[in-house]
C-alpha cells in the first residue's frame, strides 16, 4: 500500500464529504477510493470514518489522524517545492482571492503587471464577496476588507478605505440632500445584500455609533449593481470610497453625510503561516504591498 497516496485519498474524501465525490474529484473508480481508505484502516487497525448515511464523519481516531496526514502531506509538498527550486526562484502557480469590486479595480491591474514582471509565475484569481477559507479552499493569498478576527493567518496592512453615502446629483435635485443621518428615513436607499443591512445603516456622531433606520427601495446582490442604480438616480447607496473615484471626479456621484462617517474599513493581505514561504508568495507580497499602500495608506481612496 502506498500510504502517502492513501492519506491523500482520505483527505480528499473528507474535504469532498463522500467517497463518490472524492472519486469524481480524483478521477478514480469509487471502488478504488473505497479500497484505499479501507486499506489504510486495516493497516492502522482502527476505524477512521463512519460510512452511515450520505455524509462521511470522522471518528475520534480519524480526526487526529487526518490532522497528522495534513501536516505530513504539507511537509512532503514543501520538500518537493524546495527540491524543484521554487524557494530560490519565483515560479509556480498562485491562487489569489479578493472581493469582487476591489479585485476588479485594484487586484486585476496589479496581477497583470506582476505577470509581465515574473513570467515563471501563473495566477488564478478568484473574485468573491464571501470569506474563503485559505486552507480548505487551497488559497495562497487573500485580500480582506474588514476587521480581522484573531487567527493563525499572517496579515499585512495595506491601508484603509472610507465608507461613504452617495447619490447622483439628479436624485438629490429631486429629493433634497440629507444633512444628518436621520434624514435618510425620507429617502430611497439602494443596498447591496452581501455587505450592508437593508433596514439600518450605522454612522458616528459625537464619538458614538448611531444606527439609523432606512427604507431599501432597491436591493441588489453586487456592489457594482448598487452603484449602477445610484448612478441611474434610483436612490442613495453606501459604498467604499475606492469604488466611486471615477464617478466622483466626473460629478456623476456626490458624497453626503461626510461628518458622520464610521471608521474606515481596513484593507489587509493574508496568507497562511508556515515554516517555509515559497519565493513565488514572497515575491507577490513584496510586489503588491508598496503599490497598494501608496493608494490606500492615507484612507483617501
Amino acid at each position: 500500500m502506498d500510504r502517502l497516496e492513501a492519506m491523500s485519498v482520505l483527505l480528499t474524501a473528507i474535504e469532498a464529504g463522500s467517497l463518490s465525490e472524492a472519486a469524481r474529484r480524483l478521477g478514480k473508480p469509487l471502488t478504488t477510493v473505497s479500497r484505499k481508505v479501507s486499506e489504510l484502516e486495516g493497516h492502522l487497525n482502527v476505524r477512521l470514518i463512519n460510512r452511515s448515511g450520505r455524509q462521511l464523519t470522522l471518528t475520534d481516531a480519524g480526526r487526529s489522524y487526518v490532522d497528522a496526514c495534513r501536516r505530513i502531506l504539507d511537509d512532503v509538498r514543501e520538500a518537493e517545492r524546495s527540491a524543484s527550486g521554487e524557494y530560490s526562484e519565483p515560479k509556480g502557480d498562485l491562487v489569489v482571492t479578493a472581493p469582487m469590486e476591489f479585485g476588479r479595480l485594484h487586484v486585476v491591474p496589479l496581477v497583470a503587471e506582476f505577470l509581465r514582471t515574473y513570467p515563471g509565475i501563473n495566477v488564478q484569481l478568484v473574485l468573491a464577496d464571501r470569506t474563503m477559507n485559505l486552507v480548505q479552499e487551497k488559497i495562497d493569498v487573500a485580500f480582506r476588507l474588514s476587521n480581522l478576527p484573531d487567527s493563525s493567518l499572517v496579515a499585512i496592512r495595506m491601508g484603509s478605505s472610507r465608507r461613504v453615502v452617495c447619490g447622483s446629483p439628479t436624485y438629490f435635485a429631486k429629493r433634497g440632500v440629507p444633512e444628518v443621518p436621520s434624514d435618510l428615513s425620507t429617502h430611497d436607499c439602494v443596498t447591496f445584500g452581501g455587505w450592508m443591512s437593508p433596514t439600518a445603516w450605522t454612522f458616528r456622531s459625537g464619538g458614538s455609533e448611531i444606527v439609523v433606520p432606512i427604507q431599501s427601495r432597491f436591493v441588489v446582490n453586487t456592489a457594482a449593481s448598487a452603484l449602477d442604480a445610484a448612478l441611474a438616480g434610483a436612490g442613495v447607496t453606501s459604498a467604499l470610497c475606492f469604488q466611486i473615484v471615477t464617478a466622483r471626479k466626473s460629478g456623476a456621484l456626490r458624497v453626503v453625510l461626510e461628518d458622520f462617517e464610521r471608521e474606515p474599513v481596513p484593507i489587509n493581505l493574508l496568507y497562511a503561516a508556515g515554516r517555509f514561504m515559497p519565493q513565488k508568495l514572497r515575491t507577490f507580497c513584496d510586489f503588491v504591498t508598496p503599490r497598494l499602500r501608496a493608494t490606500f495608506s492615507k484612507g483617501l481612496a
Side-chain angles (χ1 to χ4, degrees), residues 132-147:
M132 301 181 71
N133 186 298
L134 272 64
V135 176
Q136 292 181 1
E137 302 189 62
K138 297 180 173 59
I139 303 293
D140 294 300
V141 182
F143 292 95
R144 295 273 168 82
L145 278 60
S146 64
N147 291 308

Side-chain angles (χ1 to χ4, degrees), residues 257-301:
L257 301 175
E258 292 181 86
D259 292 338
F260 301 93
E261 291 175 7
R262 297 164 60 191
E263 291 291 323
V265 174
I267 300 171
N268 291 285
L269 178 152
L270 305 179
Y271 60 88
R275 287 179 296 170
F276 307 99
M277 186 176 185
Q279 188 63 34
K280 63 181 181 181
L281 176 56
R282 185 183 303 278
T283 300
F284 182 80
C285 293
D286 290 345
F287 185 88
V288 302
T289 297
R291 290 165 173 78
L292 286 177
R293 281 180 175 169
T295 301
F296 291 101
S297 61
K298 297 181 181 179
L300 299 177

Side-chain angles (χ1 to χ4, degrees), residues 19 23-24 26-35:
L19 295 176
R24 188 189 68 80
L26 294 168
K28 297 179 182 293
L30 175 58
T31 53
T32 300
V33 170
S34 181
R35 177 171 52 81

Side-chain angles (χ1 to χ4, degrees), residues 3-4 7-8 10-12 15 60-81 87 135 138 152 273-276:
R3 270 187 281 174
L4 289 179
M7 288 177 182
S8 180
L10 174 64
L11 287 181
T12 303
E15 292 171 357
D60 290 341
R63 277 191 289 272
S64 59
Y65 186 73
V66 163
D67 288 341
C69 286
R70 285 197 177 98
R71 292 193 298 270
I72 290 167
L73 293 174
D74 282 345
D75 285 345
V76 170
R77 283 190 286 266
E78 297 290 354
E80 290 174 343
R81 290 169 180 165
Y87 289 93
V135 176
K138 297 180 173 59
S152 60
R275 287 179 296 170
F276 307 99

Side-chain angles (χ1 to χ4, degrees), residues 168-178 183-189 215 217 233-236:
S168 71
T170 302
Y171 172 85
F172 289 133
K174 292 180 179 179
R175 300 293 297 275
V177 178
D183 289 346
L184 291 175
S185 62
T186 62
H187 282 267
D188 298 336
C189 293
Q215 181 183 13
R217 294 290 316 284
V236 296

Side-chain angles (χ1 to χ4, degrees), residues 104 131 139 153 281:
R104 183 180 69 85
T131 300
I139 303 293
L153 300 175
L281 176 56

